[in-house]
Amino acid sequence: MAHRLRPVGLGFVRTAPVRLVFARELSAAPEPVFRALAEDVTGWTEWFGAVTLARPLDGGAGREIRLRGGTRFREAVLAAEEPEVYAYRVDVTNAPGARALVEEWRLTPAGTGTRVRWTFAADGTAPFRLALRAARPGLGRAFRSAVTSLDRRLAR
């Protein structure tokens, strides 16, 4: 059953009880990476293996995301500052135990490429927080695989 999460702001990325941070360098420059994240929302299914559906809502102010396994999110975009940061908050999800969730994608130049840092910031019930911490290795693999696929896609 879907439930509404607490409406937190971008500052939650720094204060959340659970913060999972992953980083990787891509050969693509920040601008095309940003466009793939923020402007080509439907393209996420092509490079992020866990995403089965991604579509913009409300003229780009929100997103609907579905993951393998059936997890669903309705998100609100918190920041879209080209080419540096793209962040969104989950407003509604069917993930049990979640109370607040923000994801931030921060892009910084790295030579001719981009360093991508993904922060997954969350709060929830004690079992939710424990499960999320235990899922860190899997989320890290998913992130590395996704940005590697994105880099290959942008090189075409």
Side-chain angles (χ1 to χ4, degrees), residues 27-42:
S27 58
E31 291 80 3
V33 175
F34 179 86
R35 285 192 297 274
L37 291 170
E39 297 171 13
D40 185 17
V41 173
T42 59

Side-chain angles (χ1 to χ4, degrees), residues 85-143:
V85 64
Y86 182 59
Y88 42 88
R89 171 188 68 224
V90 174
D91 287 335
V92 177
T93 185
N94 64 340
R99 291 186 182 142
L101 178 66
V102 171
E103 295 180 46
E104 178 189 70
W105 296 78
R106 189 153 295 272
L107 312 176
T108 53
T112 58
T114 305
R115 181 174 189 271
V116 177
R117 187 181 75 209
W118 177 47
T119 302
F120 192 93
D123 189 15
T125 61
F128 175 82
R129 292 190 314 265
L130 183 64
L132 198 51
R133 287 183 183 107
R136 180 177 178 52
L139 285 169
R141 281 190 299 278
F143 167 76

Side-chain angles (χ1 to χ4, degrees), residues 2-17:
H3 60 280
R4 184 161 291 283
L5 275 59
R6 188 171 75 242
V8 293
L10 193 54
F12 186 69
V13 169
R14 292 181 303 280
T15 64

Side-chain angles (χ1 to χ4, degrees), residues 40-63:
D40 185 17
V41 173
T42 59
W44 281 56
T45 59
E46 301 294 319
W47 57 268
F48 207 124
V51 177
T52 61
L53 176 119
R55 66 183 179 119
L57 300 173
D58 305 323
R63 304 170 357 140

